[in-house]
Amino acid sequence: MTDPAARFDPVCPSGIAPIRIGDKWTAMVISLLAQEPMRYSTIRAQIGPVTAKVLTAALRDLQRDGFVDRTEQPGPPRTVHYRLTELGRTLLPAIALAVRWAQDHLGAMLDAQEAYDREHARRGPAGRH
């Protein structure tokens, strides 16, 4: 039998891949910034119930990965804008594909979740019949 660890290349780039694009807020931020550069307050207002701490962390991660640029213009009033970089724009087709997949399969996924929850509710908290 093959060693499971041998299936993964130790120099595989997956360790640095932008896995974070699957998190709850990142795809939304990227999609918003695809329209135009925006101020932090505009991004937050359009996304909805995201905390300032979480949005700030998402924007910093996106900056670090090269997907978003932050520009600060001294004031008064001082303004900060975020814009999608060319590298960030390369993620738009993948995000659009994920959105289409979700639209096509959301009903089946919700049905599966409900069936799973019903089945596991019968087993009780310890997972026994």
Side-chain angles (χ1 to χ4, degrees), residues 70-114:
R70 178 184 185 273
T71 56
E72 186 174 329
Q73 295 151 350
R78 183 185 79 136
T79 59
V80 175
H81 284 86
Y82 295 89
R83 74 168 184 84
L84 201 57
T85 64
E86 287 305 311
L87 181 60
R89 290 192 180 285
T90 66
L91 293 169
L92 293 172
I95 291 170
L97 181 63
V99 167
R100 277 193 303 279
W101 182 92
Q103 290 168 340
D104 291 346
H105 300 285
L106 181 61
M109 189 175 71
L110 292 174
D111 291 345
Q113 289 175 352
E114 287 177 14

